[in-house]
Amino acid sequence: MSSGTTFPFGQLPHGFRHREVIQKAFEYLKSKDEKKAVLSEVFCDSLNITDCSLTETNDRIAVTVYNPIARPVSQYIRVPVVDGKYTVVDANGTEVKAKALLPVSEAVRQLPERKGSPGTHELIFNGQLPGLGFTTFFVEKQKSDKNPLMAALTRNRRAAIEMKGKSFTLQVDETTGAIQSITLNGTTHTLKQSFKWYKSFDGGPQDGESGSYDFCPDGNARDYDQQKLVSRHTDGGVHELNQVFADYIHQTVRTYEDQDYIEFDWTVGGIPVDDRIGKEIITRFESDLKTNGEYYTDSNGRQSIHRKYDPKHTTCEGKTIPGNWFPIYKHISVQDVNQGLQMTVLNDRTQGGSSLLEGAVELMVHRRVVHTGAGGSFTIDEGGVDGKGLEVRGKHYLFFQPMTQSPQLVRPLSEQLFMGPIETFDKYTTREEYS
């Protein structure tokens, strides 16, 4: 195996793009006499829908991960594969023990862009990445057809559900899969998450209708029918819960036993508008924190801005809800000063959001409207690949931690979301096999 795959970036000229860095890195690897694997890079452009034909159709995979952050990071690496038993070895020849093999959710497998991808599972392992450098992991599928742990992955839905993180435990309803509470430092707090939708106002451009540049809801957020628990899985310290909220809203909730955050991986769309009613979908996180209507949003990913819900602040012809919404670039949080607790939600893209209820935050994840709105020149009504509307996949990360610890937890993850690692893949052979 390779030894010393941290790239000497002092030798690189300034202005290299990420792909140029990776290409230069491979040249460096191939020039090393002690290198025992022959590699050539492949970028998988569909990793966001868990699809990579190379990793799904080969038994030996080299995964090279470049970290653009100037400090070492610990990062979960996710590789699309088929069912089986796998070993993972790092660049020093040491086997990675902490790994999980979990099935891809049915909602993701049905995405039209996957075009019949054979990938049915994700191989997940925690990689230690050098600052401004890369390392390579070698994945090999064993002869055994099935992972012996798979029989234990899907548990009885009627059993009590607890999902453990590093510093907390989630309690989940065994029938609906709805998060009910979180236990932190021996104390249990209410914590809920749900999807809701705002009906787009249809009063004409002069009266403030929802459109390409305007969020003008017609009343409060509406509920969906009761959500359902589809499946849940546990392997290698990773816990997953698959939920469905509507025909076009699915979500996987994850916790990691060595991480302090909860991960929400959602797929929304295509939104139906056959009834000619525009729909604007939000995710809402609710807690029992006493916040006095105050919350914090980031300013272009940097310092936080103090906000307070103001029923007198209106837009769209007197509507309070959009008057209290703000752009959320990286995170939104609420605090309970008396309890010393903070709930923070990090987003992976810029979204609109607010805190309209005590101890709650909400973020818009998708919308499909049928009018252009005031000042608009187009409708947000794309048909998508199958003509049924665009499907959007994204993630939110939630911290429910003491106020004193939250900044030091939120900042590193926020940085990793902004400058996430770049992965390249290749099937590999040993030098002896190559010659």
Side-chain angles (χ1 to χ4, degrees):
M1 297 296 170
S2 160
S3 60
T5 54
T6 301
F7 191 72
F9 274 80
Q11 302 174 16
L12 282 176
H14 294 293
F16 258 43
R17 294 190 301 271
H18 286 172
R19 292 199 178 197
E20 291 172 329
V21 169
I22 296 295
Q23 289 167 353
K24 190 71 176 177
F26 273 108
E27 293 174 8
Y28 172 76
L29 274 179
K30 291 179 181 179
S31 69
K32 300 289 284 182
D33 292 335
E34 67 269 27
K35 179 63 185 169
K36 295 183 179 179
V38 178
L39 303 176
S40 60
E41 60 169 331
V42 173
F43 288 90
C44 289
D45 295 328
S46 298
L47 285 179
N48 61 327
I49 56 173
T50 318
D51 181 23
C52 179
S53 60
L54 187 145
T55 64
E56 296 163 348
T57 57
N58 289 279
D59 293 341
R60 277 181 172 176
I61 310 162
V63 184
T64 298
V65 188
Y66 165 63
N67 171 29
I69 300 175
R71 59 175 174 82
V73 301
S74 175
Q75 180 76 34
Y76 272 96
I77 311 301
R78 311 181 75 91
V79 181
V81 294
V82 295
D83 194 7
K85 181 180 179 182
Y86 293 84
T87 58
V88 181
V89 178
D90 67 16
N92 297 314
T94 304
E95 183 175 356
V96 178
K97 298 293 185 181
K99 59 182 181 295
L101 184 72
L102 297 174
V104 178
S105 70
E106 188 65 23
V108 173
R109 293 182 64 181
Q110 295 301 319
L111 290 173
E113 293 88 348
R114 293 187 93 233
K115 298 179 181 178
S117 166
T120 58
H121 290 69
E122 279 189 299
L123 179 65
I124 307 165
F125 57 92
N126 198 333
Q128 305 302 313
L129 310 181
L132 276 179
F134 76 93
T135 189
T136 300
F137 300 92
F138 297 90
V139 177
E140 185 170 355
K141 185 180 180 182
Q142 302 302 300
K143 292 182 179 180
S144 174
D145 292 334
K146 300 291 183 181
N147 178 5
L149 295 176
M150 284 300 292
L153 291 182
T154 302
R155 308 293 181 84
N156 184 345
R157 296 183 186 179
R158 287 294 179 181
I161 301 177
E162 288 192 341
M163 301 176 66
K164 293 184 178 180
K166 181 179 179 181
S167 57
F168 65 87
T169 301
L170 281 184
Q171 290 78 38
V172 180
D173 184 273
E174 64 271 15
T175 301
T176 65
I179 297 174
Q180 296 179 315
S181 57
I182 183 172
T183 299
L184 180 71
N185 297 327
T187 303
T188 300
H189 303 270
T190 299
L191 180 64
K192 298 179 180 180
Q193 183 273 335
S194 60
F195 287 93
K196 299 178 184 294
W197 66 282
Y198 286 106
K199 178 183 177 183
S200 299
F201 187 67
D202 184 10
Q206 302 303 319
D207 294 324
E209 66 185 8
S210 269
S212 51
Y213 297 111
D214 295 298
F215 168 49
C216 296
D218 186 359
N220 294 324
R222 292 162 165 80
D223 294 324
Y224 285 99
D225 293 335
Q226 188 179 56
Q227 69 183 77
K228 298 177 182 178
L229 171 63
V230 178
S231 61
R232 60 190 183 99
H233 312 278
T234 298
D235 190 18
V238 181
H239 305 268
E240 286 193 350
L241 191 74
N242 292 311
Q243 309 162 318
V244 59
F245 294 80
D247 291 341
Y248 57 94
I249 302 179
H250 302 80
Q251 180 172 256
T252 298
V253 180
R254 299 188 183 97
T255 61
Y256 304 85
E257 293 183 5
D258 62 348
Q259 299 293 331
D260 289 303
Y261 59 79
I262 310 165
E263 179 181 313
F264 297 85
D265 184 341
W266 40 266
T267 304
V268 179
I271 302 173
V273 290
D274 295 338
D275 53 7
R276 302 301 297 167
I277 295 176
K279 300 173 181 65
E280 309 185 63
I281 317 302
I282 65 164
T283 178
R284 180 177 288 173
F285 302 89
E286 301 178 65
S287 72
D288 57 4
L289 300 184
K290 305 302 181 184
T291 59
N292 194 33
E294 299 180 53
Y295 57 106
Y296 297 83
T297 66
D298 67 288
S299 174
N300 206 18
R302 298 185 181 276
Q303 65 265 50
S304 294
I305 300 177
H306 174 262
R307 312 282 192 184
K308 184 174 177 61
Y309 175 74
D310 182 1
K312 296 181 180 179
H313 189 198
T314 64
T315 59
C316 293
E317 301 299 324
K319 293 179 174 56
T320 301
I321 292 174
N324 284 270
W325 269 52
F326 298 93
I328 312 299
Y329 300 96
K330 282 192 175 181
H331 55 81
I332 180 172
S333 63
V334 290
Q335 298 177 346
D336 187 325
V337 177
N338 291 330
Q339 295 189 74
L341 292 175
Q342 177 172 322
M343 180 176 71
T344 307
V345 179
L346 287 79
N347 48 342
D348 64 353
R349 69 204 67 189
T350 301
Q351 296 170 318
S354 185
S355 176
L356 304 177
L357 303 175
E358 187 78 352
V361 300
E362 61 184 55
L363 292 162
M364 185 175 293
V365 297
H366 199 2
R367 66 197 298 249
R368 191 177 183 187
V369 298
V370 297
H371 300 288
T372 60
S377 59
F378 60 94
T379 58
I380 302 178
D381 188 22
E382 298 92 337
V385 173
D386 57 3
K388 298 179 180 179
L390 293 179
E391 296 189 37
V392 179
R393 187 182 184 191
K395 291 183 180 180
H396 289 127
Y397 300 82
L398 185 145
F399 286 100
F400 194 98
Q401 295 291 329
M403 291 171 54
T404 54
Q405 300 177 19
S406 292
Q408 64 191 40
L409 293 172
V410 170
R411 182 66 180 178
L413 180 58
S414 177
E415 189 179 40
Q416 287 177 237
L417 290 176
F418 177 64
M419 294 188 291
I422 298 174
E423 301 174 17
T424 64
F425 307 91
D426 191 28
K427 54 185 178 181
Y428 71 91
T429 59
T430 63
R431 179 73 69 181
E432 290 76 12
E433 292 174 329
Y434 183 72
S435 59

